[in-house]
Amino acid sequence: MDGGRGGRHAVVVGGSLAGMLAAHVLAGHADRVTVVERDRFPEGTASRPGVPQGRHPHVLLEGGQAALESLLPGFVAELRAAGAPRVGMPSDLVLRQSDRWFRRFPATTHIYTGSRAQLEELVRRRVLANPVINVLEGTDAVGLIGDASRVRGVLLRDRSGDGRGEQRAVEADLVVDASGSGTKAPQWLTGIGAEAPHEETIDTGLAYASRVYRGKSGVLDGATAGYYVYPSPDQVHAGGALPLEDGSHLVIVSGLRGDEPPTGEAEFVAYTRRLPHPPLHSWLDEAEPLSPPFGNRRTANVRRRYDLPGRRPAGFLAVGDAQCTFNPIYGQGMAVAAMNAVALRDALADPRRTATTRRVQRALFEASRQAWDISAGADRKMPGAIGNAVDGRPADRVADWYLRRVQDCYYGDPVVGRAFRAVLTLSAPVSVLFAPPVARAVLFRPPASTPTEPPATQEETQV
């Protein structure tokens, strides 16, 4: 950042997880950091109007936990102390995919399943304690200042009026777009004579609905924290129940285009019967609903290729969902937001290389690559998937056979399961799937047997 009057100034558009963590990183390099947020932050852990997906299940994968701990030391302990459920995989859940139940081996990874609002509030409290960071709430970013060679600030408008208020310019040495999947940055860039990024899309048409319940029996306590059916080409209805920090459970059901889950109360319950998941049906018969059902139909994978060459200005970066949006059903968004912030921190602190805009954006792209490969790789196989990235690359097709074998073994083999879960939770690279013990199991042993009924208890086998 070049500096100027008032010292070096960075503006972050968006105050959700990706934006707050980007601001935290930039506070180590700028004299002032301004976060522009269109909502007003709630007191405590309430959901915000601008984050309607906050009403739906969120999980913090192990890769995201490590990234958050690296950025905000002690954060995971704070999350645990706040009551966020720590769920062991696969031991604590009854899981099903492709018409097979998973064996409940001892956990090799853990996820946190508390509400997004709780996690964001804890992050926000830590980040905004830094006096370098200021927040403009109730404010829209409506454009960029600058030209095709360099961004020099943002255009803002107060949202407290009738929406037609005057724009005001705020100068900045760096602008970071963390405004989420609804980003307007491609239009902003063309508005200053620059080039919008190429977009890669895969859309299965998946839609889901969620509702909070409190169980009246002890079925979802102790050894069994929840249930989940993953979507697959041969089982397009998916969903389950995951625990929240207050002892309730968030129930989600999903279907594809043309068969979207309804948000009427009676219709929502009826739709859950489509899951091949008898324990969940039985539990819902006794559970008390605590909220109405809420729906979501925006689930496309969209990757904006800011890392590629093009007529794009210095002084502008995109992070989080503004750079790469994933189908939420895979639970990767919060982890990738934290991993983006780590990539931003490391790129800015690298003493060997100048942190040019394009170099930093490439680092952000790499931080989201594995999550994209997982989400896009699964979704391009779903029936009815559309988009310009559905066909994938030749290398994707070459790897499909081996990965299908990995998944066949994943449900019942503890060695393959450990490796595959590490990849899916973004805590290990894809290369662990080719380690000799995993390759031997995948290539030379038939898939292990799996339960024929939902496994009610955990196994004691150690990997």
Side-chain angles (χ1 to χ4, degrees):
M1 292 180 282
D2 291 337
R5 289 189 305 170
R8 296 170 298 179
H9 183 209
V11 169
V12 178
V13 179
S16 292
L17 188 63
M20 283 294 164
L21 293 176
H24 172 72
V25 170
L26 293 173
H29 299 268
D31 299 290
R32 294 180 296 133
V33 178
T34 301
V35 177
V36 178
E37 171 52 49
R38 67 193 312 271
D39 282 341
R40 295 196 176 274
F41 293 123
E43 294 292 333
T45 59
S47 296
R48 292 188 287 123
V51 191
Q53 65 269 35
R55 301 187 181 106
H56 301 284
H58 283 71
V59 298
L60 182 61
L61 304 177
E62 199 160 278
Q65 296 167 39
L68 276 166
E69 191 67 20
S70 173
L71 295 161
L72 304 171
F75 180 82
V76 173
E78 285 186 34
L79 189 63
R80 189 77 182 274
R86 182 174 183 260
V87 177
M89 302 279 284
S91 59
D92 296 346
L93 297 177
V94 174
L95 300 171
R96 184 179 175 90
Q97 187 173 22
S98 297
D99 294 327
R100 297 176 69 185
W101 297 104
F102 285 68
R103 292 177 64 180
R104 294 178 64 180
F105 294 119
T108 61
T109 187
H110 291 81
I111 60 174
Y112 283 88
T113 64
S115 66
R116 170 173 172 156
Q118 181 194 57
L119 188 140
E120 283 199 356
E121 194 273 334
L122 291 172
V123 169
R124 190 163 61 240
R125 187 193 313 163
R126 286 281 297 270
V127 170
L128 296 186
N130 189 332
V132 170
I133 301 171
N134 178 53
V135 179
L136 296 177
E137 298 179 64
T139 304
D140 272 326
V142 295
L144 297 171
I145 304 168
D147 52 39
S149 63
R150 184 166 191 87
V151 166
R152 296 182 174 83
V154 288
L155 293 171
L156 304 180
R157 184 167 54 205
D158 191 344
R159 299 189 76 227
S160 61
D162 60 5
R164 295 187 295 273
E166 291 186 5
Q167 297 178 6
R168 59 190 173 97
V170 174
E171 294 183 358
D173 304 292
L174 176 67
V175 175
V176 176
D177 178 22
S179 59
S181 59
T183 175
K184 299 296 191 295
Q187 297 95 302
W188 297 346
L189 289 168
T190 58
I192 59 172
E195 184 180 352
H198 170 68
E199 291 189 358
E200 300 171 338
T201 62
I202 301 175
D203 185 3
T204 64
L206 182 139
Y208 56 86
S210 305
R211 191 180 193 186
V212 180
Y213 283 85
R214 188 177 302 279
K216 295 183 179 180
S217 67
V219 176
L220 291 183
D221 289 319
T224 299
Y227 303 112
Y228 207 82
V229 174
Y230 295 100
S232 62
D234 48 6
Q235 176 55 59
V236 297
H237 294 104
L242 295 173
L244 295 173
E245 59 269 17
D246 63 356
S248 64
H249 281 74
L250 193 47
V251 173
I252 180 173
V253 287
S254 67
L256 297 186
R257 188 181 295 109
D259 188 20
E260 296 89 351
T263 54
E265 297 196 4
E267 294 84 355
F268 176 87
V269 174
Y271 195 93
T272 65
R273 309 290 176 184
R274 303 189 186 197
L275 298 182
H277 215 298
L280 181 60
H281 305 158
S282 301
W283 183 77
L284 283 176
D285 285 340
E286 299 182 356
E288 174 192 4
L290 301 181
S291 77
F294 294 99
N296 181 37
R297 299 190 179 188
R298 296 180 58 184
T299 61
N301 302 278
V302 181
R303 182 161 63 172
R304 300 171 182 89
R305 298 300 304 272
Y306 288 105
D307 59 296
L308 296 177
R311 194 176 68 258
R312 279 183 288 278
F316 175 85
L317 297 170
V319 300
D321 282 356
Q323 184 253 331
C324 191
T325 304
F326 311 96
N327 186 337
I329 208 76
Y330 302 110
Q332 301 165 313
M334 296 196 304
V336 172
M339 294 167 75
N340 269 194
V342 170
L344 177 63
R345 179 197 66 189
D346 293 348
L348 294 179
D350 189 346
R352 301 165 299 171
R353 296 174 179 159
T354 301
T356 64
T357 299
R358 187 171 173 207
R359 183 166 288 143
V360 175
Q361 195 67 65
R362 281 178 176 171
L364 295 168
F365 170 80
E366 290 299 328
S368 62
R369 183 199 287 269
Q370 182 166 316
W372 171 268
D373 288 345
I374 292 168
S375 181
D379 275 4
R380 64 169 52 100
K381 300 180 181 68
M382 295 294 287
I386 59 175
N388 62 4
V390 167
D391 291 338
R393 305 163 299 174
D396 296 326
R397 295 190 288 274
V398 170
D400 275 351
W401 178 85
Y402 184 81
L403 292 176
R404 281 197 299 270
R405 288 283 299 176
V406 168
Q407 190 158 350
D408 284 344
C409 298
Y410 168 47
Y411 312 104
D413 187 294
V415 174
V416 178
R418 174 193 284 269
F420 202 31
R421 277 188 295 277
V423 172
L424 294 177
T425 59
L426 309 178
S427 56
V430 175
S431 58
V432 302
L433 299 179
F434 300 91
V438 178
R440 281 195 295 270
V442 169
L443 297 174
F444 302 115
R445 292 203 299 263
S449 61
T450 54
T452 57
E453 297 293 332
T457 59
Q458 303 171 357
E459 298 189 28
E460 297 181 356
T461 304
Q462 296 296 325
V463 181

